[in-house]
Amino acid sequence: MRHCIACRRMLPAKPVFNLKNAPASAQDIPDKDHVHEDQGIDLELYQCGHCGLVQFGCRPVSYYRDVIRAGGFSETMKNLRHSQYRHLIGTYHLEGKRFLEVGCGGGEFLRMLEGFPVEAFGMENRPQLVARARESGLQVWKEFPETADQVFGGNGCPQGPFDVFLSFNFLEHQPEPDVMLQAIYHNLAEDGMGLITVPALEYILEHGSYYELLRDHIAYYSFYTLRQLLERNGFAVLEEEMVNRDTISAIVRKKPEGGWAMPEEPGEKVSLDSLAWGYEVTGGEIRELVRRLAEDGKTLAVWGASHQGFTLAATTELGKAARYIIDSAPFKQGRFAPASHLPIVAPDCFFRDPVDVVLIVAPGYTEEIAGIIRGKTGGQVKILAIRTSHIESV
């Protein structure tokens, strides 16, 4: 029996989309000693008939409490976070306030608060990431919002109430998002605020970007379903916008205790037909690219050991045709893409084992990566990119 993670109603009997041979996870990237044990899985996607939330009907990944991110290293993400912080602090007069990032990883985004007139704190479940954040001088401790009435901090760690919470692309991993939000609610000061981001369902459906689906993201929020979830769990949504092309960003304020409840009316339902369309279109364009390169005797590599790259390599001919996947994150290098088992290498691998064509699979970072490729290769390589469901020259 499968139940909606947001409203607890039973999910429909049949999935609306089934992604076969998908990576089993985006973070458990196999090394050479374990790659033979790795295999793809079938992911069944459902839409709740009551609240409308789109979600997988499977258990979450084992590490859903942890935040493991590579995007903190990019200039694109640094610029976005700084812009968001400036707007939030300046617009709502939050100078001198206590900020808490719930799920802060190694403190990548907390460090970006340096220079702003606020106190920054973070909580993270994975001990190695907590240690990394502390080594860099950040006020971070090991904790995860496990129960609605949980008191954050204690035992020598900072305690609430906190004035502002931050949550960056973490909620979509949670099998009990209401519990997490209620725990945050009870650790905020009156009129406390928050900044929260999640991947946007609207972006995926508009472009048929089926390769954005991965098991790590157990839920796919739209503006509507995110707003309803936040309102049901004590937060008024003050601002919402699409950022970085594919991400919903919302600024919220804590509502008075008892001023919120679960609405009984059915929520908004959307068509998910574009996922099957995108699967066919993208797969077809990759087959054609692989055919042309083979005819011309040209070689291919992928740039982007992200969940998008992993899914495309596993569900199209990329996994067999590409020589390797390039990625700038050191912790991914020397490992293998889940399901397809393409080797993941550092950018400088190009000079030891050059290719003729590089296909960028990193929505939101395409131009930045293209600039890196041009700078390193001096125009020796043809650059392509997946944009929505299509392959384009860059």
Coordinates of all heavy atoms in Angstrom, one line a residue, residues 101-141:
E101 N 20.5 27.0 8.6 CA 20.3 26.2 7.4 C 20.0 24.8 7.9 O 20.9 24.1 8.5 CB 21.5 26.2 6.5 CG 21.2 25.5 5.2 CD 22.3 25.5 4.2 OE1 23.4 26.1 4.4 OE2 22.2 24.8 3.1
V102 N 18.9 24.3 7.5 CA 18.5 22.9 7.9 C 18.9 22.0 6.7 O 18.4 22.0 5.6 CB 17.0 22.8 8.1 CG1 16.5 21.4 8.4 CG2 16.5 23.8 9.1
G103 N 20.0 21.2 7.0 CA 20.6 20.3 6.0 C 21.6 21.2 5.2 O 21.4 21.6 4.1
C104 N 22.8 21.4 5.9 CA 23.7 22.4 5.4 C 24.9 21.7 4.7 O 25.8 22.4 4.2 CB 24.2 23.3 6.5 SG 25.3 22.5 7.7
G105 N 24.9 20.4 4.6 CA 26.0 19.7 3.9 C 27.3 20.1 4.6 O 27.4 20.1 5.8
G106 N 28.4 20.4 3.8 CA 29.6 20.8 4.4 C 29.7 22.3 4.6 O 30.8 22.9 4.8
G107 N 28.6 23.0 4.5 CA 28.6 24.5 4.8 C 28.8 25.3 3.6 O 29.1 26.5 3.7
E108 N 28.6 24.7 2.4 CA 28.9 25.5 1.2 C 28.1 26.8 1.1 O 28.6 27.8 0.7 CB 28.6 24.6 -0.1 CG 29.5 23.4 -0.2 CD 29.0 22.2 0.6 OE1 27.9 22.3 1.3 OE2 29.6 21.1 0.6
F109 N 26.8 26.7 1.4 CA 26.0 27.9 1.3 C 26.0 28.8 2.5 O 25.7 30.0 2.5 CB 24.5 27.5 0.9 CG 24.4 26.8 -0.4 CD1 23.4 25.9 -0.6 CD2 25.3 27.0 -1.4 CE1 23.2 25.2 -1.8 CE2 25.2 26.4 -2.6 CZ 24.1 25.5 -2.9
L110 N 26.3 28.2 3.7 CA 26.5 29.0 4.9 C 27.7 29.9 4.7 O 27.6 31.1 5.2 CB 26.7 28.1 6.1 CG 25.5 27.5 6.8 CD1 26.0 26.7 8.0 CD2 24.6 28.6 7.3
R111 N 28.8 29.4 4.1 CA 29.9 30.3 3.9 C 29.6 31.5 3.1 O 30.2 32.6 3.2 CB 31.1 29.5 3.3 CG 31.9 28.7 4.3 CD 33.2 28.1 3.7 NE 32.9 27.1 2.7 CZ 32.7 25.8 3.1 NH1 32.7 25.4 4.3 NH2 32.5 24.9 2.1
M112 N 28.6 31.4 2.2 CA 28.2 32.5 1.3 C 27.5 33.6 2.1 O 27.2 34.6 1.6 CB 27.4 32.0 0.2 CG 28.1 31.0 -0.8 SD 27.1 30.4 -2.1 CE 28.1 29.1 -2.7
L113 N 27.1 33.3 3.4 CA 26.5 34.3 4.2 C 27.6 35.2 4.8 O 27.2 36.3 5.4 CB 25.7 33.7 5.3 CG 24.2 33.4 5.0 CD1 23.6 32.6 6.2 CD2 23.4 34.7 4.8
E114 N 28.8 34.8 4.7 CA 29.9 35.7 5.3 C 29.9 37.0 4.5 O 29.8 37.1 3.3 CB 31.3 35.0 5.1 CG 31.4 33.7 5.9 CD 32.7 33.0 5.6 OE1 33.5 33.5 4.7 OE2 33.0 32.0 6.3
G115 N 30.0 38.1 5.3 CA 29.9 39.4 4.7 C 28.5 40.0 4.9 O 28.3 41.2 4.7
F116 N 27.5 39.2 5.2 CA 26.2 39.7 5.5 C 26.1 39.9 7.1 O 26.6 39.1 7.8 CB 25.1 38.8 5.0 CG 25.0 38.7 3.5 CD1 25.7 37.8 2.8 CD2 24.2 39.6 2.9 CE1 25.6 37.7 1.4 CE2 24.1 39.6 1.5 CZ 24.8 38.7 0.8
P117 N 25.3 40.9 7.5 CA 25.2 41.2 9.0 C 24.3 40.3 9.7 O 23.3 40.7 10.3 CB 24.8 42.6 9.0 CG 24.0 42.8 7.8 CD 24.6 41.9 6.7
V118 N 24.5 39.0 9.7 CA 23.7 38.0 10.4 C 24.5 37.0 11.1 O 25.7 36.8 10.8 CB 22.7 37.3 9.4 CG1 21.8 38.3 8.6 CG2 23.5 36.5 8.4
E119 N 23.9 36.2 12.0 CA 24.6 35.1 12.6 C 24.1 33.8 11.9 O 22.9 33.6 11.7 CB 24.1 35.0 14.1 CG 24.7 36.0 15.0 CD 24.3 35.7 16.5 OE1 25.0 34.9 17.1 OE2 23.3 36.2 16.9
A120 N 25.1 33.0 11.5 CA 24.8 31.8 10.7 C 25.1 30.6 11.4 O 26.2 30.4 12.0 CB 25.7 31.9 9.4
F121 N 24.1 29.7 11.4 CA 24.2 28.3 12.0 C 23.7 27.3 11.0 O 23.0 27.6 10.1 CB 23.3 28.3 13.3 CG 23.6 29.3 14.3 CD1 22.9 30.5 14.3 CD2 24.6 29.2 15.3 CE1 23.1 31.5 15.2 CE2 24.8 30.2 16.2 CZ 24.1 31.3 16.2
G122 N 24.2 26.1 11.2 CA 23.7 25.0 10.3 C 23.6 23.7 11.1 O 24.4 23.4 12.0
M123 N 22.7 22.8 10.6 CA 22.6 21.5 11.1 C 22.7 20.5 9.9 O 22.1 20.7 8.8 CB 21.3 21.2 11.9 CG 20.0 21.7 11.2 SD 18.6 21.7 12.3 CE 18.3 20.0 12.5
E124 N 23.4 19.4 10.1 CA 23.6 18.4 9.1 C 23.7 17.0 9.7 O 24.2 16.9 10.8 CB 24.9 18.7 8.3 CG 25.5 17.7 7.4 CD 24.5 17.2 6.3 OE1 23.8 18.1 5.7 OE2 24.4 16.0 6.1
N125 N 23.2 16.0 9.0 CA 23.1 14.7 9.6 C 24.4 13.9 9.4 O 24.8 13.1 10.3 CB 22.0 13.9 8.9 CG 21.9 12.5 9.5 OD1 21.5 12.3 10.6 ND2 22.2 11.5 8.7
R126 N 25.1 14.1 8.3 CA 26.3 13.3 8.0 C 27.5 13.8 8.8 O 28.0 14.9 8.6 CB 26.6 13.2 6.5 CG 27.8 12.4 6.1 CD 27.9 12.1 4.6 NE 26.9 11.2 4.1 CZ 27.0 10.5 3.0 NH1 28.1 10.6 2.3 NH2 26.1 9.8 2.6
P127 N 28.1 13.0 9.7 CA 29.2 13.4 10.5 C 30.4 14.0 9.8 O 31.0 15.0 10.2 CB 29.6 12.2 11.3 CG 28.4 11.3 11.3 CD 27.7 11.6 10.0
Q128 N 30.8 13.4 8.6 CA 31.9 13.9 7.9 C 31.7 15.3 7.3 O 32.6 16.1 7.3 CB 32.2 12.9 6.7 CG 32.5 11.5 7.1 CD 31.3 10.6 7.1 OE1 30.2 11.0 7.5 NE2 31.5 9.4 6.6
L129 N 30.5 15.6 7.0 CA 30.2 16.9 6.5 C 30.1 17.9 7.6 O 30.6 19.1 7.4 CB 28.8 16.9 5.7 CG 28.8 16.0 4.5 CD1 27.4 16.0 3.9 CD2 29.8 16.5 3.4
V130 N 29.6 17.5 8.8 CA 29.7 18.4 10.0 C 31.1 18.7 10.3 O 31.4 19.9 10.5 CB 29.0 17.7 11.2 CG1 29.2 18.5 12.4 CG2 27.5 17.5 10.9
A131 N 32.0 17.7 10.3 CA 33.4 18.0 10.6 C 34.0 18.9 9.6 O 34.8 19.8 10.0 CB 34.2 16.6 10.6
R132 N 33.7 18.8 8.3 CA 34.2 19.7 7.3 C 33.8 21.1 7.5 O 34.6 22.0 7.4 CB 33.8 19.2 5.9 CG 34.4 20.0 4.8 CD 33.7 19.7 3.4 NE 33.7 18.3 3.1 CZ 33.0 17.8 2.1 NH1 32.2 18.6 1.4 NH2 33.0 16.5 1.9
A133 N 32.5 21.3 7.8 CA 32.0 22.6 8.1 C 32.7 23.3 9.3 O 33.0 24.4 9.3 CB 30.5 22.6 8.3
R134 N 32.8 22.5 10.3 CA 33.5 23.0 11.6 C 34.9 23.4 11.3 O 35.4 24.4 11.8 CB 33.3 22.0 12.7 CG 31.9 21.9 13.3 CD 31.9 20.8 14.3 NE 30.6 20.8 15.0 CZ 30.3 19.8 15.9 NH1 31.2 18.8 16.2 NH2 29.1 19.8 16.5
E135 N 35.6 22.6 10.5 CA 37.0 22.9 10.2 C 37.2 24.2 9.5 O 38.2 24.8 9.7 CB 37.6 21.7 9.4 CG 37.9 20.5 10.2 CD 38.2 19.3 9.2 OE1 38.3 19.5 8.0 OE2 38.3 18.2 9.7
S136 N 36.2 24.6 8.8 CA 36.2 25.9 8.1 C 35.7 27.0 9.0 O 35.5 28.2 8.5 CB 35.4 25.8 6.8 OG 34.1 25.7 7.1
G137 N 35.4 26.7 10.3 CA 35.0 27.8 11.2 C 33.5 28.1 11.3 O 33.1 29.0 12.0
L138 N 32.7 27.2 10.7 CA 31.3 27.4 10.8 C 30.6 26.8 12.0 O 31.1 25.8 12.6 CB 30.6 26.8 9.5 CG 31.0 27.4 8.2 CD1 30.5 26.6 7.0 CD2 30.5 28.9 8.1
Q139 N 29.5 27.4 12.5 CA 28.8 26.9 13.6 C 27.8 25.9 13.2 O 26.6 26.2 12.9 CB 28.1 28.0 14.4 CG 29.1 29.1 14.9 CD 28.4 30.1 15.7 OE1 28.1 29.9 16.9 NE2 28.2 31.3 15.1
V140 N 28.2 24.6 13.1 CA 27.4 23.5 12.5 C 27.4 22.4 13.5 O 28.5 22.1 14.1 CB 27.9 23.1 11.1 CG1 27.2 21.8 10.7 CG2 27.7 24.2 10.1
W141 N 26.3 21.7 13.7 CA 26.2 20.5 14.5 C 25.5 19.4 13.8 O 24.8 19.6 12.8 CB 25.6 20.8 15.9 CG 24.2 21.2 15.8 CD1 23.1 20.4 16.0 CD2 23.7 22.6 15.6 NE1 21.9 21.2 15.9 CE2 22.2 22.5 15.6 CE3 24.3 23.8 15.4 CZ2 21.4 23.6 15.5 CZ3 23.4 24.9 15.2 CH2 22.1 24.8 15.3

